[in-house]
Amino acid sequence: MLLIKKQDSPVYQNFTAEEAGWKYLNFCARRMQRGDTWSEQTGGYEYGIVLLGGEFSVESDRGSWRTVNGRRDVFSGLPHALYLPANMHFTLTAESEMLDIACCRVETDQCHEAFFVTPQQSHEMGIELRGGDNASRQINRILPPGSPCHRLVCVEVYTPSGNWSSYPAHKHDVRTLNPDGTLKEACLEEIYFYRIDKPQGFAFQHVYTEDRSLDELLEAHDGDVVLVPRGHHPVAAGPGYNVYYLNFLAGSDQSLAASDDPDHKWFYGTWKSMDARLPMVTLEMNGA
């Protein structure tokens, strides 16, 4: 099971690591109406909650937070996000007519401080324009490597209509070290959670190993999830449709260390320019 289709319900994505057939990543996405609440005890998990659209507030035994100038949807600004550690209780309340959020939780034996990421902080962490030509895309850091948490890593990626991303193809499924002892490749599970700017839009994602023991070409639509347990995993946005995906990763290291597909590594540095449609979202768009 690599493609999980969006469900027609308020909690439109919801699966556990056991159901996914792996160890770390549990995921849900939900829509709520003004005044709706979601309460949980984090237990032995750390949580990453990302605002997709709307406004929310959170009350907990570790603090209180509220979004200000939240984005209308993922194509309308930079994110708010909330990191919650193990062994705490929280209640999240929808403060807008419609709230759309995504949450990933990962088992942990560590305890960190809760913290809130605002659009201003996301902007300060750096909006990266990566690649070039028709492999241009925008990456927003939410919980990058080095964040004060245990395993979670989170970024969001914008791929303009017709472009490729996660390209040249890369993998992160075998933990290996460089000769100097630094990390060369981490062993990570990864979620691609898709939002697309038109309801009929689509993206193609190829998940494959070099020996083709895993070789799946998947068509993802708005609200779908692609699971990447191993192998390379490039994405192509359908012409006419701007594609967003939210990546959560966890595994051997809090890292994005990866290895390129040697057949396509030559592509680095061949591009002539960055796509003029980027950046697709900016801080100035929030709350507009």
Side-chain angles (χ1 to χ4, degrees):
M1 177 182 66
L2 295 184
L3 177 65
I4 303 178
K5 301 298 293 181
K6 174 185 176 183
Q7 301 300 305
D8 186 18
S9 63
V11 182
Y12 59 96
Q13 283 288 355
N14 190 23
F15 59 86
T16 65
E18 182 179 12
E19 291 168 336
W22 55 23
K23 183 177 180 180
Y24 295 106
L25 298 176
N26 306 264
F27 181 79
C28 71
R30 64 181 67 219
R31 289 194 174 98
M32 301 165 63
Q33 296 180 341
R34 185 185 294 275
D36 288 349
T37 61
W38 169 41
S39 296
E40 280 196 15
Q41 174 74 30
T42 60
Y45 294 85
E46 58 180 356
Y47 281 53
I49 300 172
V50 177
L51 175 66
L52 305 173
E55 303 278 3
F56 68 78
S57 63
V58 173
E59 297 292 332
S60 81
D61 51 11
R62 302 287 183 88
S64 302
W65 305 272
R66 187 180 181 118
T67 62
V68 177
N69 291 330
R71 54 189 176 184
R72 183 176 63 254
D73 55 48
V74 297
F75 296 100
S76 302
L78 300 181
H80 288 81
L82 181 60
Y83 172 79
L84 299 176
N87 301 313
M88 63 170 287
H89 182 271
F90 72 91
T91 297
L92 184 149
T93 302
E95 302 289 354
S96 53
E97 292 306 311
M98 184 61 68
L99 172 67
D100 193 4
I101 55 173
C103 176
C104 187
R105 60 184 176 91
V106 175
E107 192 170 356
T108 182
D109 58 2
Q110 298 183 9
C111 189
H112 295 262
E113 295 297 321
F115 62 90
F116 196 46
V117 178
T118 67
Q120 290 79 9
Q121 290 167 321
S122 180
H123 181 266
E124 291 165 5
M125 282 190 287
I127 296 173
E128 181 182 357
L129 303 185
R130 189 177 297 178
D133 297 336
N134 69 335
S136 302
R137 63 273 195 192
Q138 174 180 348
I139 292 89
N140 298 336
R141 297 177 178 91
I142 299 175
L143 296 174
S147 297
C149 55
H150 184 192
R151 290 192 172 97
L152 272 174
V153 175
C154 180
V155 299
E156 56 183 15
V157 180
Y158 291 82
T159 308
S161 157
N163 280 14
W164 288 71
S165 60
S166 294
Y167 192 85
H170 66 271
K171 72 178 186 72
H172 34 70
D173 55 18
V174 179
R175 190 179 193 274
T176 55
L177 301 178
N178 292 305
D180 64 359
T182 58
L183 186 66
K184 180 179 181 180
E185 179 183 341
C187 182
L188 302 170
E189 302 165 356
E190 184 170 14
I191 286 170
Y192 277 66
F193 169 64
Y194 283 89
R195 302 309 304 262
I196 302 175
D197 68 346
K198 297 180 178 64
Q200 72 273 36
F202 65 94
F204 289 116
Q205 185 156 21
H206 191 191
V207 183
Y208 68 95
T209 55
E210 290 169 35
D211 64 4
R212 293 308 196 268
S213 59
L214 174 62
D215 191 4
E216 297 286 341
L217 182 61
L218 306 162
E219 182 178 339
H221 293 260
D222 184 67
D224 291 348
V225 169
V226 170
L227 307 180
V228 182
R230 65 186 189 280
H232 304 282
H233 40 277
V235 172
Y241 306 110
N242 294 316
V243 170
Y244 163 100
Y245 52 80
L246 180 65
N247 289 143
F248 281 106
L249 305 95
S252 64
D253 301 83
Q254 195 203 32
S255 171
L256 290 173
S259 297
D260 298 303
D261 184 334
D263 287 344
H264 305 299
K265 191 174 181 178
W266 65 269
F267 186 67
Y268 281 110
T270 64
W271 37 76
K272 301 294 190 296
S273 63
M274 183 61 60
D275 192 313
R277 294 174 291 178
L278 294 173
M280 286 177 61
V281 297
T282 65
L283 179 61
E284 290 71 27
M285 297 168 67
N286 283 81

